[in-house]
Amino acid sequence: MDKILILDFGSQVTQLIARRIRKKGIYCEIHPYNIPRKKIENFSPKALILSGGPASTTSSKPLKPDRSIFNLKIPILGICYGQQILCEHLGGKVISSKEREFGKAFITIKSKSKIFEGVYRKNKKYQVWMSHGDKVNKLPKDFK
């Protein structure tokens, strides 16, 4: 059975993410962001999800997973804080926003991607919910 592991950074929606994955018939577990790599290897996930959370990657002591997870040769999806951790690890830059943003926002998928296949269509606008105070200022090389 395919398994996905969520590393939790304290997001309010981590349980919701897990529930949506489980509704697709995929086994999913949630563990703290600092779980040792050996435990991840023993779980043998097909992919990792780094959740969001209230911490800031720009703080003097940001929450970070074991760096060796990036060498597991499995897909990693970062959501909110998790996306910022991924971005910084891969050479991007995260900065603090001048003001925090909360509430309804809209996204448009600009190009076809497997991650959105069967969920979102290219060039269509979708409502999302956001809550953040940091933003990616520079994408890692080869990201768009």
Side-chain angles (χ1 to χ4, degrees):
M1 171 181 253
D2 288 343
K3 298 186 283 186
I4 291 181
L5 182 61
I6 299 175
L7 300 187
D8 184 24
F9 288 90
S11 172
Q12 300 167 332
V13 296
T14 299
Q15 295 291 335
L16 176 62
I17 294 165
R19 190 174 87 213
R20 295 291 175 117
I21 292 166
R22 292 172 185 143
K23 279 179 89 173
K24 295 288 185 186
I26 299 168
Y27 184 80
C28 178
E29 287 187 13
I30 300 168
H31 287 270
Y33 72 91
N34 57 355
I35 182 176
R37 178 184 169 147
K38 192 68 177 158
K39 283 190 175 186
I40 295 171
E41 288 172 339
N42 290 342
F43 183 73
S44 300
K46 287 277 190 173
L48 291 178
I49 295 176
L50 306 182
S51 80
S56 172
T57 58
T58 63
S59 75
S60 61
K61 291 190 177 192
L63 305 178
K64 291 194 176 183
D66 181 329
R67 292 181 62 82
S68 67
I69 67 164
F70 300 109
N71 300 322
L72 290 171
K73 297 185 180 357
I74 59 174
I76 300 175
L77 172 64
I79 299 173
C80 192
Y81 183 85
Q83 180 253 351
Q84 294 167 12
I85 289 287
L86 262 178
C87 175
E88 284 195 333
H89 177 77
L90 297 169
K93 177 80 174 147
V94 177
I95 62 170
S96 292
S97 296
K98 288 184 169 74
E99 56 186 71
R100 296 190 65 82
E101 298 180 279
F102 300 96
K104 183 169 40 172
F106 293 91
I107 62 168
T108 302
I109 307 305
K110 296 289 187 180
S111 60
K112 192 174 179 178
S113 171
K114 284 188 176 191
I115 198 163
F116 298 125
E117 206 169 90
V119 181
Y120 294 123
R121 289 195 316 254
K122 183 178 152 189
N123 296 323
K124 190 169 180 220
K125 195 179 217 179
Y126 294 93
Q127 179 187 323
V128 296
W129 293 98
M130 61 157 178
S131 170
H132 60 269
D134 295 337
K135 65 181 178 181
V136 173
N137 192 45
K138 177 184 168 232
L139 290 172
K141 185 177 187 254
D142 298 326
F143 276 53
K144 55 182 176 176

